[in-house]
Every structure is written in C-alpha cells, then in structure tokens.
Amino acid sequence: MNGDISRIDPRKDAAWAARFAASLREQGCCVVERVLDDSLIEQVRAAMYRARDGIHAEVGQARLARAGELGVLRLMLRFDPVFFRLLALPEVLAVVDATVSPTAVLHLQNGFILPSMPASSTPRVFQNSFHRDFPRHLNGYVASINTFFAIDAFTRTNGATLVVPGSHQRDDAPDPGQVEREAFPVECDAGSMLVFDSTLWHAAGANTSGRDRLAINQQFTRSWIKQQIDYVRALGAEQVLRQPARVQQLLGFYTRVVTSLDEYYQPEESRLYRRGQG
C-alpha cells in the first residue's frame, strides 16, 4: 500500500502540537519535520561512528554478533556528550509532555547504523521483524512514546522504518495480511523526527542503497516503568548533574531506588526518589 501519515513542520504551524496529538490518536504516528539542523546532524553522525568504535572496543565483536542485532548502538551518551542535546530539544519535550507526562523518563536511546546489503542476504532479526516497542495494551493508556530521528534521509531503498498506521493501542497483533496490505516505509528528510505510540507495529526496512543509513530512537515511558539501562548508574551522578535539570529528570535522576536506610531517611531535597514524579 502506498500510504502516508501526517507531516508537521513546527516552524510553519503554531498549532503543531494539537495536530500531532490528533495524528497520534488516529494513526499512532506522524512526522515532525526539520527538528535537527544541518550542523547538529553532522555532529551526531560523526559521534555515532565514534560511539560504534567505542562499543566495539568495550564489548567485542563476538558478543555483539551473538546479540543478533544490525548496527545497534546502546548507551551512546557515555561516548559523546552531543547525544544529551537530543533529550533537551523543545520538540522532543513537547511530545513527551503531551503524551507520557512531564515526569516521564528515558527508557532508551539507541543509535542505528544500518548497513547496506542485498535484500536476499539481510538476516531476519528483531528490528526488521514487525514488533511493538511497548508490547502491552493498557486500555488506551499511553505509557510509552518514541521519537525516532532520521540522521540520513529515510527512503524506500535505505531501510526507512515501516509502519502500520492504526495498529496501535490494540490487544491483539494485526493479521499478517493486514500488515502486507497496510505497512509502508516512512520516507522523510534528514533531521525529521518520526513520532509514534510505542504500541504501534513497525519494523526496519531493508537497506540496499549501497551506504549506511543512520537513525536514533528515543523511547520515553512513565516514570514508574524500569529503564532498559540505568542511565544514572551507567553514566555516573557527576556526569548527570552537569546536565540541565530537565535532562537529569529524563535520565532518571529523580526516580532512583534507595539501597540503604541512610539513603531512605534523607531530607526531602536529598532524596533519591523525589516527590511528585508520577
């Protein structure tokens, strides 16, 4: 099916947040255009390759191969500070506040350097099989949202994300025939942000373009849901405290779990789990 989803340019549409909310309810996804400028795109692109090299050195190719992933980069924040900037973008915060609340936390920030290969030799892994990033139906309650950045333009030939509009907030998986009929690649310019309800069925496409395709997925959840990575422990409190207060909160600094009676019985301003965090 040659479909499409709503496309919104915040620079031209003062009411973009209302349009985004309507699209999310109806289709489960939309594209917010021109979120990243060219300078930031190039900084992020270079940093992703540096992060990849750091991850390879730390984890090793054998362990990464056993994970069955295609070019996934986890914990990029530890390798380059530019990735913190993606958490503080006004468009990201507006999306988070309007969906999973101002007390939401970062569930994950993953980079993708999707390699190019013939379609016939592309391995079948989780990311290119249709799936939901939040595989739970809570009677329409939005518990998780994704902001997915196109660092390269998304095209049909370079593995643009495939989506099934309207497949979100359902208890059952869509019929395979429905997926075949209704899934289509989200083509968009570099710097765009694909926003989708994390219960939406989607998959990475096949990259046959002859070059890598870069993207970054940020998933935000209600604060009571455990993060995929404990970012505060992984980055260290000192690094987290160098960030703006809102980024500290998104990283989970205000919703930490105490490990001793001493940590529990602290004055309110020193508590690990602060009041009013959802």
Side-chain angles (χ1 to χ4, degrees):
M1 176 180 178
N2 183 21
D4 208 347
I5 58 176
S6 297
R7 295 168 187 273
I8 301 167
D9 186 342
R11 301 182 189 184
K12 297 180 180 179
D13 187 352
W16 76 271
R19 289 189 56 210
F20 141 75
S23 297
L24 200 70
R25 286 192 302 271
E26 296 165 9
Q27 297 180 301
C29 54
C30 73
V31 171
V32 182
E33 299 176 327
R34 299 200 299 175
V35 176
L36 308 182
D37 62 31
D38 292 344
S39 175
L40 183 54
I41 290 171
E42 291 311 309
Q43 291 177 59
V44 168
R45 183 193 308 280
M48 288 180 70
Y49 282 105
R50 290 195 296 270
R52 182 192 64 179
D53 293 344
I55 292 167
H56 286 180
E58 182 172 318
V59 180
Q61 294 279 17
R63 290 172 66 189
L64 291 168
R66 284 199 302 270
E69 299 173 337
L70 281 176
V72 180
L73 309 178
R74 302 185 187 277
L75 197 57
M76 297 185 298
L77 293 161
R78 201 165 71 75
F79 296 94
D80 199 291
V82 71
F83 299 112
F84 287 104
R85 293 177 59 185
L86 302 181
L87 299 175
L89 295 168
E91 295 85 354
V92 169
L93 297 178
V95 165
V96 171
D97 290 354
T99 56
V100 286
S101 85
T103 62
V105 296
L106 178 70
H107 185 69
L108 61 82
Q109 183 196 67
N110 290 341
F112 298 95
I113 300 179
L114 186 66
S116 176
M117 60 184 70
S120 59
S121 61
T122 300
R124 179 62 63 183
V125 296
F126 177 78
Q127 68 208 74
N128 59 20
S129 302
F130 278 93
H131 64 278
R132 299 174 292 180
D133 283 359
F134 189 80
R136 298 163 189 84
H137 177 251
L138 302 176
N139 295 319
Y141 178 76
V142 179
S144 180
I145 196 78
N146 289 64
T147 60
F148 201 104
F149 288 107
I151 305 305
D152 289 310
F154 280 12
T155 70
R156 290 177 178 271
T157 59
N158 75 357
T161 301
L162 303 165
V163 299
V164 184
S167 64
H168 61 302
Q169 295 296 340
R170 291 171 38 168
D171 198 26
D172 56 329
D175 180 86
Q178 177 191 357
V179 172
E180 182 68 26
R181 293 189 305 272
E182 299 183 8
F184 64 88
V186 178
E187 297 186 282
C188 59
D189 293 335
S192 298
M193 179 174 72
L194 169 62
V195 180
F196 58 92
D197 185 311
S198 302
T199 64
L200 185 80
W201 288 84
H202 66 284
N207 183 4
T208 60
S209 67
R211 54 172 290 181
D212 294 340
R213 189 269 283 159
L214 275 62
I216 292 178
N217 181 30
Q218 297 186 147
Q219 182 180 355
F220 300 91
T221 59
R222 303 278 178 172
S223 61
W224 45 266
I225 297 171
K226 288 185 178 180
Q227 297 167 290
Q228 187 180 85
I229 292 176
D230 185 335
Y231 285 101
V232 175
R233 288 180 59 204
L235 298 170
E238 184 176 326
Q239 171 81 312
V240 173
L241 287 171
R242 286 199 289 267
Q243 309 309 318
R246 184 65 194 277
V247 173
Q248 294 177 28
Q249 178 260 322
L250 286 171
L251 291 170
F253 196 71
Y254 300 168
T255 50
R256 291 171 289 164
V257 178
V258 301
T259 60
S260 67
L261 293 175
D262 177 63
E263 289 182 346
Y264 188 90
Y265 291 104
Q266 289 289 326
E268 185 171 341
E269 66 274 10
S270 302
R271 290 175 185 168
L272 302 188
Y273 199 111
R274 301 191 185 185
R275 178 182 297 183
Q277 294 304 306

